[in-house]
Amino acid sequence: MSSIPDLIRKKRDGGELTDEEIAAFVRAVTTKTIQESQIGAMLMAIWQKGMVPTETQTLTREMMSSGEVMSWPAAWKGTVVDKHSTGGVGDKVSLVLAPALAACGCKVPMISGRGLAHTGGTLDKLESIPGFKIHQSTEQILKILDSVGCCIVGQTEKLVPADRVLYAVRDATSTVDSLPLIAGSIISKKGAESLSALVLDVKFGRAALYKDLDGARELAQLLVSAGNGVDIRTGAVLSSMDGTIGRCVGNSLEVIESLETLKGNGPDDLMELVSTLGGMLLVMNGSVSNQSEGSKQISDAVIGGAALSKFQAMMEAQGVASDAAQLLCSAHTDYFRVLRKSEYQIELEAPAEGVVVDVDGLVLAQVLHKLGAGRSKAGQPVNHSVGAELLVSMGQRVRKGASWVRIHYEDPVPTSDQISRLQSALTVGAGDGKEPRQKHTLVKEVLLPS
Ligand code: IUR
């Protein structure tokens, strides 16, 4: 039996670790019988030398079984599904997709994360709804799935304990951006949910983790192979992330846009992602025979209101008072009777007449982050009311001086430098506005399980 230093040396020198060696490393991490310096050294060796796909699959499997693996009633066989996104700006897909899938007969134990760096987190968005409890025990998750069909929750203490340790050391040792470590971390948690099917939204572009399509494709292929390696039918889309998804960024504002979408008034780009990702899951779990049928079922569930009813039931099951849940889901649009509105708003003006050719999602997100919409360190609070509403869309003609974005802020107030940065996020081009508006689609490639 090799010692931990032997394993580190083997990987450091470019060797391929055996299944037993990977299992021994993960076991030592879980049982805390390894020094933190040794974990850091192994992670750096993996970061530098990489892993072959079979090593990544073994790492994923061992991490998955480091803690509790959920089990579902036999009658749910084939119905338990989830999606994961690598993070975007204005990415509220989960809030619409989870209830839409539940309305199509799926069980969706969606375990989501918080925002980090400039990207938002689904849990922060949901916590802007007073009373919404993201911490639910396995027993409560089972109950909510039985009665509603979907829940959106934080990771429980018992699920994949090895990831909690490894992630903290990755953060401290600059080894977060390693493909096998990313795949092991993401897929082990999905494996512990005992899913039948999983879809991944791997984003590329200036506001995404991966700036170029090739890097995102490499990650997507690895995630798909790691997912299928733990017996989850796994597919992925590569979607562009340069601007914002929909028109709202910021926690409360994104909840409002999600509710509007569930009332049938969603923006095209958000609906495209929801129906594509949901449609793929319905194909992968055998509910429908092709993608267009799957996408149609999902968009019908959204447009027809069935998904809205599921969202209302999910809010109530996760602690929101029923009068508040009812008001949010009614025909009322006075959302700020329930959600907190920022004390101040400011509208910025288009600097010239012309056609909107670009809105830089990264700049918007970075400034909003500084204004309190996001956090720089795990555990920091966020201000749910901070955000931005785009008042224009791509290809739209604007007059000089017309308002193009409304910024919601409190404390701190935006500095003049931040206002100039926000102003630079909009590019107005020449053009007479008579050009046919190009349909702006986000999904560039689809990867299906082999
Ligand atoms: N999300 C995860 O759960 N794990 C990771 O390593 C990354 C994002 I990067």
Side-chain angles (χ1 to χ4, degrees):
M1 180 74 193
S2 315
S3 68
I4 294 290
D6 291 337
L7 301 185
I8 296 169
R9 187 178 321 107
K10 186 171 180 186
K11 184 41 79 183
R12 183 201 67 187
D13 294 344
E16 211 174 286
L17 298 176
T18 64
D19 288 356
E20 291 71 32
E21 288 167 338
I22 294 171
F25 170 67
V26 174
R27 206 176 318 113
V29 168
T30 312
T31 54
K32 300 192 165 47
T33 51
I34 180 173
Q35 296 169 28
E36 241 184 43
S37 56
Q38 294 175 315
I39 302 178
M42 177 62 101
L43 293 175
M44 186 55 83
I46 295 173
W47 187 91
Q48 287 187 316
K49 301 294 176 179
M51 282 183 142
V52 299
T54 49
E55 284 178 292
T56 305
Q57 281 181 12
T58 305
L59 175 70
T60 307
R61 212 171 328 104
E62 293 300 329
M63 286 175 70
M64 170 184 126
S65 42
S66 69
E68 179 183 64
V69 174
M70 291 176 162
S71 64
W72 310 116
W76 296 2
K77 193 167 160 38
T79 68
V80 186
V81 300
D82 196 2
K83 82 107 199 181
H84 176 86
S85 155
T86 57
V89 177
D91 187 353
K92 57 213 51 99
V93 167
S94 294
L95 275 63
V96 182
L97 180 58
L101 285 163
C104 293
C106 296
K107 300 291 183 191
V108 193
M110 197 173 262
I111 297 182
S112 294
R114 295 196 179 277
L116 259 186
H118 70 276
T119 61
T122 298
L123 299 181
D124 296 319
K125 292 169 202 191
L126 289 167
E127 280 185 339
S128 67
I129 308 172
F132 197 102
K133 291 187 185 58
I134 55 117
H135 295 295
Q136 303 287 339
S137 66
T138 311
E139 294 70 32
Q140 286 162 325
I141 291 173
L142 192 64
K143 223 167 109 190
I144 300 170
L145 289 189
D146 189 41
S147 59
V148 180
C150 62
C151 60
I152 305 181
V153 298
Q155 196 182 337
T156 70
E157 283 294 307
K158 296 180 196 152
L159 220 67
V160 194
D163 182 58
R164 246 189 308 281
V165 178
L166 291 178
Y167 198 91
V169 182
R170 281 168 65 200
D171 209 18
T173 55
S174 271
T175 52
V176 169
D177 56 342
S178 147
L179 286 177
L181 297 178
I182 295 173
S185 168
I186 293 173
I187 301 297
S188 61
K189 287 176 280 193
K190 297 301 171 188
E193 285 175 48
S194 301
L195 302 176
S196 307
L198 169 66
V199 72
L200 302 150
D201 183 5
V202 180
K203 298 191 174 294
F204 66 95
R206 82 184 141 208
L209 178 67
Y210 283 89
K211 306 300 169 201
D212 66 295
L213 181 59
D214 289 344
R217 191 186 294 114
E218 200 185 341
L219 174 61
Q221 284 167 342
L222 192 63
L223 289 170
V224 166
S225 99
N228 287 299
V230 289
D231 297 326
I232 305 172
R233 287 186 67 71
T234 306
V237 303
L238 294 166
S239 68
S240 75
M241 186 67 258
D242 290 314
T244 65
I245 300 172
R247 289 178 167 218
C248 291
V249 185
N251 297 298
S252 298
L253 294 174
E254 290 190 44
V255 167
I256 293 174
E257 191 170 41
S258 304
L259 286 161
E260 278 297 307
T261 303
L262 289 164
K263 294 175 191 179
N265 310 317
D268 290 346
D269 55 358
L270 177 59
M271 282 303 293
E272 179 204 352
L273 283 174
V274 169
S275 60
T276 306
L277 295 164
M280 284 172 72
L281 284 170
L282 295 185
V283 173
M284 287 193 287
N285 82 354
S287 301
V288 297
S289 57
N290 61 61
Q291 178 67 35
S292 64
E293 215 181 307
S295 297
K296 183 170 182 323
Q297 272 203 19
I298 296 288
S299 45
D300 285 352
V302 175
I303 290 159
L308 180 67
S309 305
K310 290 290 181 189
F311 191 79
Q312 182 175 340
M314 179 181 82
M315 281 195 285
E316 292 182 27
Q318 293 194 234
V320 178
S322 55
D323 55 346
Q326 224 166 51
L327 191 105
L328 291 175
C329 295
S330 69
H332 273 281
T333 52
D334 192 4
Y335 297 108
F336 294 120
R337 284 172 63 185
V338 175
L339 306 175
R340 208 169 69 76
K341 187 174 184 172
S342 67
E343 270 184 67
Y344 311 108
Q345 291 94 42
I346 182 176
E347 291 182 6
L348 304 186
E349 296 177 354
E353 173 157 350
V355 174
V356 176
V357 290
D358 189 31
V359 173
D360 187 330
L362 181 60
V363 168
L364 273 185
Q366 285 173 332
V367 175
L368 292 174
H369 182 263
K370 292 260 184 300
L371 296 178
R375 62 171 65 78
S376 311
K377 257 187 137 166
Q380 276 179 344
V382 298
N383 185 334
H384 293 119
S385 71
V386 171
E389 285 171 84
L390 287 180
L391 307 171
V392 295
S393 44
M394 297 287 277
Q396 186 179 329
R397 185 160 190 82
V398 287
R399 282 178 299 102
K400 181 174 180 202
S403 296
W404 71 274
V405 68
R406 184 178 299 126
I407 305 295
H408 293 236
Y409 66 97
E410 293 195 325
D411 180 21
V413 302
T415 62
S416 57
D417 181 51
Q418 285 169 333
I419 296 283
S420 330
R421 285 203 73 209
L422 287 169
Q423 228 13 313
S424 74
L426 174 74
T427 307
V428 178
D432 59 11
K434 291 188 187 135
E435 308 79 358
R437 266 197 210 174
Q438 274 202 346
K439 196 159 161 52
H440 180 67
T441 55
L442 298 180
V443 175
K444 300 297 177 224
E445 282 180 29
V446 171
L447 277 70
L448 289 167
S450 42

